[in-house]
Amino acid sequence: MEIPGVVIARLPLYAQALEALAQKGEEVVSSQRLGEALGITPAQIRKDLSYFGRFGKQGRGYNVAGLLGSIRQILGLDRQWRMALVGVGRLGRAILSYEGFAPQGFHIVHAFDVDPEVVGRKFESLVVRHVRELEETLAQEPVDIGVVAVPPEAAQEVIDRLVRAGVRAILNYAPMTPRVPPGVQVRRIDPVVLLETMTYYLKGQEGVRFLQGRDPLFLR
Amino acid sequence: MEIPGVVIARLPLYAQALEALAQKGEEVVSSQRLGEALGITPAQIRKDLSYFGRFGKQGRGYNVAGLLGSIRQILGLDRQWRMALVGVGRLGRAILSYEGFAPQGFHIVHAFDVDPEVVGRKFESLVVRHVRELEETLAQEPVDIGVVAVPPEAAQEVIDRLVRAGVRAILNYAPMTPRVPPGVQVRRIDPVVLLETMTYYLKGQEGVRFLQGRDPLFLR
DNA sequence: GGGGATTTGTGCTATTTATAACATTTTTTG
DNA sequence: CAAAAAATGTTATAAATAGCACAAATCCCC
Ligand SMILES: NC(=O)c1ccc[n+]([C@@H]2O[C@H](COP(=O)([O-])OP(=O)(O)OC[C@H]3O[C@@H](n4cnc5c(N)ncnc54)[C@H](O)[C@@H]3O)[C@@H](O)[C@H]2O)c1
Ligand SMILES: NC(=O)c1ccc[n+]([C@@H]2O[C@H](COP(=O)([O-])OP(=O)(O)OC[C@H]3O[C@@H](n4cnc5c(N)ncnc54)[C@H](O)[C@@H]3O)[C@@H](O)[C@H]2O)c1
């Protein structure tokens, strides 16, 4: 069975909301309530979950901890994931010091750059290597995911390198669209692109309120 | 006529690719070539553009500078946009110093926090104000967009405040889903959520290559 | 300046995605 | 304990989105 990508993309949002509910001490939740928290219809949530099994109890709802565990397992979050960062400039250093990755099982285990000022230096107990050692390093100690924080002109080259070294998932902070072979996952983090999708609706000036169709996923 | 949100969401990608082409000195581009650069079918691109008018020339393609200008106008990027940042911690300071916003017409003109260590200090020639002055400040000098970089527990409260002050677009870096009244745009920047949409495909282990359906937009 | 090659814009069709509705099960209440 | 209320999983229906294919326009080359 082939599960739609858009369904996979919603699962992390369900997991995030379930974590917040668990935090608050909630033990069960209905698709209705979960939907209200996320701005998604209850039918959508039930349908999404039904791709993977039966997790709820009629008349009651879903066990928060149980469903969270199931979703984490579906997403492969029941293990640790190793990542390599390329580009240790201002953004790269901020990424290295972000504590939001580890609690979800994501760990940066290598960092690369070209700048002689940066190569050899230590950030967050990680020594920056020259990017020319990337293939060799990843052959010795492989990673699952590459994180790219270099200028856009250098990004394609860096991504090619990561792919050649066997990396099959890229988190791309550079404002460009890379070409990758099929089977390699890429996700873009680009605040400017997101801002630009909002200005379209803003420019309709004070008067207009409802213009948008259904909101394409990344809303909210 | 009601233009699908997913079409609007692609326009900034077209603009970004056109900027790169203009940089390289290209004067015209076909939907074919633009599509190759973005991993989008040529038909899709032509259909998207046809919602707004006729920008191409048969047998030739699109004038790069001309189409870029048209798209920027459609998106409302032919003016400057004012933003307020809330939360001047580590991420907030990184956002303040990011030079990617200004070239596209986005400017942070206010910064707010609650921490007495931070309020009153200056970052990038901007004095941080206490968040309790938010409504008053925005009444005097309004902004179009709010940028939220506070811990997730504080984010809903901050967003409510921004909305009450008349802000109708939010760029949200906090890992949570806020509730906002209809007509208010929200976009999420959440690297962990994106990573989690990739691990699903990675966990299928070395053997599997093609699992994904069509990729939901943020790919590439 | 004529003819083959390109490439757009769009009507039509196919596919994907979301919603609605309901039978079934469980819980709660009186 | 029976009846009403609540909530799931799933089938059917509707809506949204993408792709195809082609007439019409333009370009380029000789
Ligand atoms: N998505 C976001 O939120 C966001 C925010 C800020 C910056 N950015 C983008 O991230 C990138 C980096 O931004 P920054 O402010 O850190 O810039 P920066 O100049 O401070 O850092 C870039 C680093 O990349 C290194 N580098 C250059 N070419 C390289 C190569 N081929 N291999 C390895 N390293 C290389 C440089 O030596 C430098 O250390 C830019 O593309 C920028 O647009 C994205
Ligand atoms: N999306 C991303 O790429 C990304 C990256 C890093 C951090 N984050 C998120 O951004 C947020 C901030 O992260 P950080 O590392 O900068 O944390 P931080 O603790 O360094 O900064 C948070 C700031 O928010 C301020 N704050 C708290 N409550 C406030 C309120 N009610 N009003 C105004 N200001 C308030 C604090 O005083 C502090 O200065 C967190 O939610 C974090 O998860 C997102």
Side-chain angles (χ1 to χ4, degrees), chain A residues 112-114 129-136 161:
Chain A
F112 301 96
D113 205 298
V114 281
R129 299 180 185 238
H130 197 284
V131 76
R132 83 168 79 85
E133 299 170 30
L134 191 149
E135 284 87 341
E136 192 188 327
R161 236 180 161 135

Side-chain angles (χ1 to χ4, degrees), chain B residues 8 20 25 33 58 70 89 144 155 161 174 184 190:
Chain B
I8 304 301
R33 215 162 109 39
Q58 288 166 329
S70 298
D144 306 291
R161 237 181 159 132
V184 175
D190 193 336

